[in-house]
Amino acid sequence: MAEPADRPQAQDAAEWLEADGLGAYASGAVDGVRTRRYHALLIAPRTPPTDRLVLVNGVECFVETAAGRFALTSQRYNPGVLAPDGASRIASFAHEPWPSWTYALPDGTGIAHELFVEPNSGECVLRWRRLSGPEGPCRLAVRPLLTGRDHGGLHRRNDAFRFDAEATGGNVTWRPYADVPAATALTDGAYRHAPLWFDNVLYTVERERGLPDTEDVASPGVFAFDLAERPATMVLRAGDGRATDAARHADDLAKLEKKRRKRFGSPLARSAAAYAVARGPGRTIVAGFPWFTDWGRDTFIALRGLLLATGRLDDARAVLLGWAAAVDGGMLPNRFPDTGAAPEFNAVDASLWFVVAVHDALDACAAAGRPLPARDEAELRDAAEAILDGYMRGTRFNIGMDRDGLIHAGEAGVQLTWMDAITDGRVWTPRRGKPVEVQALWINALAIAAARWSDRWRAPERLARDGFAARFPDPAGGLYDVVDVDGVPGTHDGRVRPNQVFAVGGLPFPVVEGEAARRVVDLVEAKLWTPLGLRTLSPDDPGYVARYRGDLARRDAAYHQGTAWPWLLGPFVDAWLGVRGRTGKAKRAAAARFLQPLMDHLDRNGLGHVSEVVDGDAPHHAGGCPWQAWSLGETIRIRRMLDLDI
């Protein structure tokens, strides 16, 4: 039987995230049942922030008292059996300052469990303690569950898996495969070697997404703790063991981590920090957890909210300088694959977003009284002007400036704009020609270069503005989404999409102003606005897809054909305020209508974060990535637009 349209799916369940500062993470569902292949406690990136390997998937826990033996955890097994019944004993959950659970056992015993990831080392700290209950025995048994596989893959029972354990001074180390980093548990418990396979563990979200969903996990042994005597501690780390006193080491990490988290000033600012990670000697931004790496387009869009709006100017500088060195043929790469393969230059807009991010960063540094050193600014200027020169001359994928001053782009089988879904070579929203937001970005990049660096950019800016004014206004209202469609001069795509909003808001220099801008904003609000994002296509369109569900092909077909994106609310709110004069009254109205639903969303799905996409139709179930960098970044930017604290 099909799910009713308004019935929540597994994707709507609340999930927690602990990022490690290296591009990896620990994550899971609030009820403790792993529903994604990405839910795990210890993941190690071999080439941060890529090539991430799951070392410890989770733990299976039981508590034994005088009244019997009770589970604290549950797993779901194919075809759908939940066992044991630990999830039913969760009495409460909190995700501040880190994930914490309380369990209520039938005999009145209360157990507290908490975990956090320390970002410098990537260590995952787990602690349990007895809160209440009758006197008598209270013994905890913890079985680590191991795989040693790619974080986006699945693992099956095999003879090559090595269960052998090395025990040294409270550390127990496993080396499941020769080419995978070791996993170590530092504990104050007693280890008993007892190898066991858990077969056919089912991940329900993967099943709903039409992906392989079942794996086998291995448990080399079990740790025993006496909670009647003292709390239990387990510290998981990649590599060999180091510390010898588990409780002291965990306490030291907890004290330092609490201080670090408090320094952010707010949960929102702390969530923003999760995406800024190391890449070699520099910094970059992970586009989203769990499966994204650092994408160029996402990095430059998200940077403005995650780093600039939160005052993390040194990180912003490091990110931009790191990417500046990657300019090639007038383009920046859009993606560094998780496999460590060569970067992919497959975006017409990513390089232009870089120029916008540089502009905003320079302004933010100057406003803070911390202007960039001349050498750094010169390096960013050289990269930005190399991009502009490359686009004027022409570069990959037929990207170049036409005689009307506008940018044309596109080749068959290549996805170049942010509407970039592709399945088995099929580009679902090709938008070949001259896309509207690309022109807005191009005009802004030229205006930035003219204002900051050289008058030689003023003539092409004027030409592009004139070309835009002549080509993009739609007599039926708003702006065309693409002109010269598929390279055919004089053609246009009049479907109502959100990309036109960038001509009015979201960028430093509006391309459309006055009454024309008001018409664009009103059209977008009427046709595309939802409380959690802008739809990618008007519901009036025969191609509209109401829900983001099903296998990969169905989801990609819906991705930009009606699915709503929270990050688009940033430019939309900026445009909405711009045509209303940015008055106090307008800001209060925007806060209630546009911001509050996003703030409410922080307590659902990816806790403390904003999802990648939501259904175009109510009730707007979340989908895609639960923790998305530009979604959170634009939420923070909206707060700044409305003069609200982060």
Side-chain angles (χ1 to χ4, degrees):
M1 178 181 295
E3 295 280 1
D6 59 351
R7 178 176 172 180
Q9 307 290 302
Q11 294 100 313
D12 293 291
E15 301 172 69
W16 55 267
L17 172 77
E18 286 282 299
D20 74 348
L22 301 170
Y25 54 88
S27 69
V30 166
D31 67 1
V33 181
R34 296 189 308 283
T35 60
R36 299 182 188 270
R37 66 184 73 186
Y38 302 96
H39 284 164
L41 295 179
L42 182 64
I43 297 178
R46 286 195 284 199
T47 54
T50 64
D51 199 8
R52 294 165 283 192
L53 300 176
V54 173
L55 303 182
V56 180
N57 294 55
V59 291
E60 183 149 286
C61 302
F62 289 86
V63 171
E64 186 175 354
T65 71
R69 189 167 184 261
F70 308 104
L72 300 185
T73 55
S74 299
Q75 298 189 89
R76 195 174 300 278
Y77 296 89
N78 208 357
V81 177
L82 189 68
D85 59 354
S88 67
R89 298 198 170 93
I90 297 174
S92 65
F93 171 83
H95 72 280
E96 294 292 343
W98 46 61
S100 304
W101 294 260
T102 58
Y103 298 86
L105 306 189
D107 66 350
T109 298
I111 303 292
H113 172 48
E114 63 179 351
L115 69 85
F116 65 88
V117 171
E118 199 279 325
N120 294 314
S121 65
E123 293 177 321
C124 181
V125 177
L126 301 93
R127 301 194 287 190
W128 298 262
R129 70 183 190 278
R130 183 168 71 172
L131 294 174
S132 60
E135 294 294 327
C138 187
R139 291 181 286 271
L140 172 69
V142 179
R143 264 193 177 276
L145 307 173
L146 280 59
T147 53
R149 46 93 168 161
D150 180 88
H151 79 138
L154 291 170
H155 185 253
R156 303 304 283 187
R157 177 194 283 254
N158 66 86
D159 293 336
F161 188 93
R162 298 187 302 195
F163 285 93
D164 302 348
E166 304 166 9
T168 308
N171 295 279
V172 178
T173 299
W174 304 280
R175 307 180 192 279
Y177 297 105
D179 59 347
V180 170
T184 294
L186 170 66
T187 81
D188 49 12
Y191 178 71
R192 177 172 60 88
H193 196 61
L196 187 65
W197 281 100
F198 291 79
D199 295 333
N200 297 318
V201 177
L202 172 65
Y203 302 126
T204 53
V205 170
E206 307 300 341
R207 173 163 290 186
E208 289 179 4
R209 290 166 59 85
L211 299 171
D213 54 34
T214 304
E215 77 171 336
D216 307 328
V217 299
S219 178
V222 60
F223 292 91
F225 305 87
D226 189 348
L227 294 182
E229 294 292 328
R230 61 179 179 178
T233 300
M234 177 179 288
V235 181
L236 301 172
R237 70 180 310 274
D240 294 323
R242 291 180 183 173
T244 56
D245 187 322
R248 178 177 296 176
H249 182 57
D251 286 345
D252 290 344
L253 290 180
K255 289 175 184 176
L256 291 172
E257 188 58 11
K258 282 184 178 178
K259 289 181 181 179
R260 187 188 74 88
R261 298 187 185 208
K262 285 183 179 179
R263 285 198 296 269
F264 288 109
S266 73
L268 198 60
R270 188 172 74 246
S271 293
Y275 300 93
V277 303
R279 174 177 276 283
R283 304 288 284 170
T284 189
I285 291 176
V286 171
F289 294 101
W291 51 76
F292 285 108
T293 57
D294 46 342
W295 289 46
R297 175 191 299 120
D298 299 58
T299 292
F300 310 134
I301 293 171
L303 177 147
R304 302 192 299 165
L306 299 182
L307 301 183
L308 299 182
T310 59
R312 300 185 62 186
L313 303 183
D314 289 341
D315 273 350
R317 167 184 166 274
V319 169
L320 291 172
L321 287 172
W323 280 86
V327 175
D328 181 274
M331 292 182 70
L332 281 168
N334 188 47
R335 179 171 176 253
F336 290 94
D338 204 20
T339 59
E344 297 176 1
F345 291 83
N346 62 340
V348 60
D349 51 346
S351 304
L352 301 176
W353 274 113
F354 171 82
V355 180
V356 172
V358 167
H359 168 79
D360 285 4
L362 293 175
D363 276 358
C365 290
R370 297 162 53 189
L372 289 188
R375 186 175 69 175
D376 290 348
E377 181 167 356
E379 188 172 341
L380 296 177
R381 168 187 174 162
D382 289 348
E385 292 200 308
I387 290 167
L388 297 180
D389 280 327
Y391 276 49
M392 290 186 71
R393 290 193 306 267
T395 183
R396 300 172 177 87
F397 307 121
N398 195 35
I399 297 170
M401 188 179 77
D402 209 341
R403 286 177 296 179
D404 58 7
L406 303 177
I407 296 296
H408 56 68
E411 289 182 358
V414 180
Q415 72 285 26
L416 290 179
T417 73
W418 79 272
M419 291 186 161
D420 59 358
I422 182 171
T423 311
D424 296 328
R426 177 178 179 181
V427 180
W428 292 95
T429 318
R431 303 181 72 230
R432 295 194 300 271
K434 297 172 181 173
V436 63
E437 81 281 9
V438 173
Q439 313 315 316
L441 283 162
W442 171 240
I443 292 167
N444 267 264
L446 292 170
I448 288 165
R452 286 190 175 278
W453 301 315
S454 173
D455 281 345
R456 73 183 177 103
W457 303 110
R458 294 203 180 277
E461 180 202 348
R462 287 193 296 269
L463 180 63
R465 283 187 178 274
D466 290 344
F468 190 97
R471 305 295 310 283
F472 276 92
D474 182 352
L479 302 171
Y480 293 130
D481 188 58
V482 182
V483 302
D484 293 353
V485 179
D486 293 334
V488 179
T491 57
H492 57 260
D493 181 349
R495 285 175 288 188
V496 179
R497 295 191 182 275
N499 305 299
Q500 61 189 296
V501 79
F502 288 99
V504 183
L507 298 173
F509 302 101
V511 178
V512 176
E513 297 181 281
E515 186 57 33
R518 180 65 179 252
R519 288 195 296 270
V520 168
V521 173
D522 288 350
L523 175 67
V524 170
E525 183 173 4
K527 298 291 187 180
L528 305 178
W529 176 79
T530 79
L532 289 175
L534 295 186
R535 296 183 182 97
T536 42
L537 187 64
S538 170
D540 299 339
D541 194 284
Y544 176 76
V545 182
R547 304 199 182 279
Y548 182 75
R549 289 287 180 267
D551 62 16
L552 179 61
R554 288 179 60 195
R555 284 183 282 114
D556 278 353
Y559 212 30
H560 302 299
Q561 298 296 106
T563 298
W565 292 67
W567 82 273
L568 293 171
L569 287 176
F572 170 72
V573 172
D574 186 33
W576 193 90
L577 292 171
V579 300
R580 285 164 174 79
R582 303 188 189 276
T583 64
K585 180 180 179 181
K587 291 179 180 180
R588 289 189 295 273
R593 180 166 169 79
F594 306 128
L595 177 62
Q596 192 56 51
L598 288 172
M599 301 308 296
D600 293 341
H601 183 73
L602 296 172
D603 294 325
R604 306 167 189 153
N605 304 107
L607 296 173
H609 297 254
V610 183
S611 300
E612 179 187 11
V613 296
V614 300
D615 289 345
D617 275 11
H620 309 296
H621 292 310
C625 196
W627 304 281
Q628 192 76 6
W630 61 9
S631 298
L632 185 67
E634 289 301 279
T635 298
I636 292 172
R637 279 209 327 122
I638 291 171
R639 291 191 67 86
R640 286 296 193 207
M641 292 175 209
L642 302 178
D643 302 325
L644 299 172
D645 292 336
I646 304 304

